[in-house]
Amino acid sequence: MSKLVKAIIGLGFFILLAGITARLFLPSYIDKTTNKIWPHDPFVVPIDARTLHKDMLIMDWHADTFLWNRDPLKRHDFGHVDIPRLNDGNVAIQMFTTVTKSPEGQNYEENSADSDRITSLVIAQGWPIRTWTSLLERALYQATRLDTAINTSNGGLQWIRSKAELQEFLINRHRSTSQVKPIGALLGTEGGHPLEGDIKNIDKMYDAGFRMVGLTHFFDNELGGSLHGKNGNGLSNFGKEAIQHLDEREMIIDLAHASEAMARDVLSITKRPVVISHTGLKGYCDSPRNYPDDLMKEIAGRGGLIALGFWDGAVCDPSPQSIAAMIKYGIELVGSDHLALGSDWDGATESIAADDLHAITAELLALNVTSEDIRKVMGGNSIKFISQWLPEK
């Protein structure tokens, strides 16, 4: 065997070994270093707060958990969400959201759609080849991962795709005598780019279980302008058509990351109230990530829900005290009937994890927010909303 052949074989073996190593260890490393738990000493939560927290039905509107390859049914000490930690946090319903594209150098001011850092993550995690080039396939694959988790959870995780499934879930959870109660799962997409400019793909996503569609993420797309894009435009003609079709399919419209012009266009077209699945309040945290207070009032005035986030871009200081203070500010701004939780867990953020939610309840009580208003914000408003606006069956 010649030296050249030996060198080629050696190089091939090295490449194979490097690929296996990257496949085994790189995704977990990226997950651990990207989805950080906000550092804190153990929270001291008074008995009255623990009692109230345990007695509530809690819902969160935004977790990107299925972007990552970790098993959501097993407990982890990194990232923000898995089923055991949702149970520890007494989360009854979680909206899982699918991420399909994100630009290099992602920021809140201005991003181009010309690059994508999700592609390398998809390849490193060993996703099917069809997901390497198609944003629709990336969304559908994450839907399949959620469906698989539900089917293998022995009833611990249950689909909520309709009013009928919501009622079935609530009955099951109420009747459960176990310490570990079932958790309801909804599915949404972070941005409308998986539609790939084809209105028929709304139906494909609906059939896969999607019931909420975000319109943009960190870049402008076929539907219109992003809050962090290049042009700040409103809805395109395709975007207007998509809004009408989403209404027809009774799918929830999510304005998170949409430009202000797009948000106002949506409000002028849709016949249904909208959700902002993860955001902050600009009057409390003057971040370019947050809409001005007058637009928030308009959204609330149309019956919409404003789901408040837990990371610094939304709340400035991601402590439970600051999150609670922003919630109180929101109650004074738009009323307690229009606020909800939108953590942005597992969304490349640093925040408290799902099992630390009781700390927010404690801080709300410390701010003299009434238990009635706490119940609304923590989940009551959200469950009322989906009971009205999900499809019947």
Side-chain angles (χ1 to χ4, degrees):
M1 186 180 294
S2 69
K3 291 183 179 180
L4 177 60
V5 171
K6 289 180 179 180
I8 292 173
I9 292 173
L11 178 60
F13 178 76
F14 174 79
I15 293 173
L16 177 62
L17 182 62
I20 293 172
T21 301
R23 173 72 179 85
L24 291 176
F25 300 107
L26 184 59
S28 178
Y29 172 79
I30 295 173
D31 190 358
K32 290 177 180 179
T33 55
T34 301
N35 300 306
K36 295 181 179 180
I37 298 175
W38 182 71
H40 61 85
D41 294 328
F43 293 122
V44 178
V45 179
I47 292 176
D48 61 337
R50 289 186 179 275
T51 301
L52 174 61
H53 191 84
K54 189 175 181 180
D55 190 50
M56 292 190 288
L57 280 170
I58 297 171
M59 176 176 168
D60 177 76
W61 280 88
H62 202 97
D64 297 328
T65 306
F66 286 92
L67 175 62
W68 313 97
N69 269 15
R70 83 180 96 102
D71 184 347
L73 301 182
K74 296 181 179 179
R75 184 182 298 276
H76 299 272
D77 60 1
F78 61 94
H80 304 127
V81 169
D82 49 53
I83 301 310
R85 284 185 287 174
L86 286 173
N87 269 301
D88 289 349
N90 195 36
V91 177
I93 301 175
Q94 180 65 56
M95 174 71 79
F96 292 103
T97 38
T98 62
V99 177
T100 56
K101 180 176 177 177
S102 183
E104 298 289 347
Q106 176 181 295
N107 63 83
Y108 289 142
E109 284 75 26
E110 183 178 300
N111 298 274
S112 166
D114 295 338
S115 64
D116 176 30
R117 60 183 184 175
I118 300 299
T119 299
S120 57
L121 179 64
V122 163
I123 295 171
Q125 292 188 142
W127 287 17
I129 292 177
R130 66 180 184 275
T131 68
W132 294 10
T133 56
S134 170
L135 304 185
L136 174 64
E137 291 297 339
R138 291 179 192 177
L140 296 178
Y141 178 68
Q142 290 174 72
T144 299
R145 290 195 64 216
L146 172 58
D147 190 59
T148 299
I150 289 170
N151 290 332
T152 57
S153 69
N154 295 316
L157 190 61
Q158 300 178 13
W159 268 115
I160 297 178
R161 294 165 292 195
S162 65
K163 294 176 183 176
E165 286 186 340
L166 172 62
Q167 291 307 312
E168 180 182 2
F169 163 75
L170 291 174
I171 290 170
N172 290 341
R173 187 172 172 93
H174 178 72
R175 288 177 176 173
S176 174
T177 58
S178 172
Q179 286 288 96
V180 179
K181 295 185 179 297
I183 293 171
L186 291 108
L187 183 61
T189 179
E190 179 120 65
H193 35 280
L195 299 179
E196 297 179 339
D198 187 346
I199 206 73
K200 294 178 182 177
N201 286 335
I202 290 178
D203 300 321
K204 290 182 180 180
M205 295 181 72
Y206 183 95
D207 292 342
F210 286 88
R211 293 298 180 267
M212 182 176 77
V213 174
L215 303 179
T216 62
H217 196 201
F218 273 88
F219 52 93
D220 307 323
N221 63 24
E222 298 94 338
L223 287 85
S226 165
L227 188 61
H228 331 285
K230 289 280 191 178
N231 57 48
N233 286 347
L235 288 169
S236 65
N237 289 333
F238 175 72
K240 293 174 183 177
E241 184 183 3
I243 296 302
Q244 293 171 343
H245 198 57
L246 291 170
D247 275 3
E248 291 169 2
R249 295 310 308 259
E250 298 182 288
M251 298 175 77
I252 296 166
I253 295 170
D254 175 15
L255 291 182
H257 296 290
S259 71
E260 291 182 36
M262 176 183 274
R264 297 184 191 281
D265 282 351
V266 170
L267 292 176
S268 71
I269 294 174
T270 182
K271 297 179 174 63
R272 292 157 52 88
V274 299
V275 168
I276 310 178
S277 69
H278 56 307
T279 188
L281 298 168
K282 200 171 188 69
Y284 178 83
C285 173
D286 189 9
S287 164
R289 176 63 178 79
N290 299 333
Y291 285 157
D293 285 2
D294 66 320
L295 181 52
M296 292 301 199
K297 289 181 179 180
E298 187 175 352
I299 290 166
R302 293 283 305 276
L305 271 188
I306 300 164
L308 299 177
F310 301 169
W311 79 104
D312 58 356
V315 70
C316 289
D317 166 18
S319 67
Q321 296 95 326
S322 181
I323 296 167
M326 182 168 66
I327 291 172
K328 184 174 182 180
Y329 177 89
I331 291 172
E332 294 167 353
L333 179 70
V334 300
S336 61
D337 291 334
H338 300 286
L339 299 178
L341 302 182
S343 61
D344 200 16
W345 282 324
D346 291 332
T349 60
E350 181 177 275
S351 75
I352 61 171
D355 52 345
D356 280 327
L357 272 183
H358 56 300
I360 298 176
T361 299
E363 294 299 336
L364 286 168
L365 285 174
L367 291 173
N368 296 317
V369 177
T370 67
S371 59
E372 178 184 5
D373 283 348
I374 294 172
R375 288 179 185 275
K376 288 180 180 181
V377 175
M378 297 296 279
N381 292 333
S382 299
I383 294 171
K384 181 179 178 181
F385 188 95
I386 60 176
S387 70
Q388 290 178 310
W389 298 108
L390 283 176
E392 289 290 339
K393 297 179 180 179

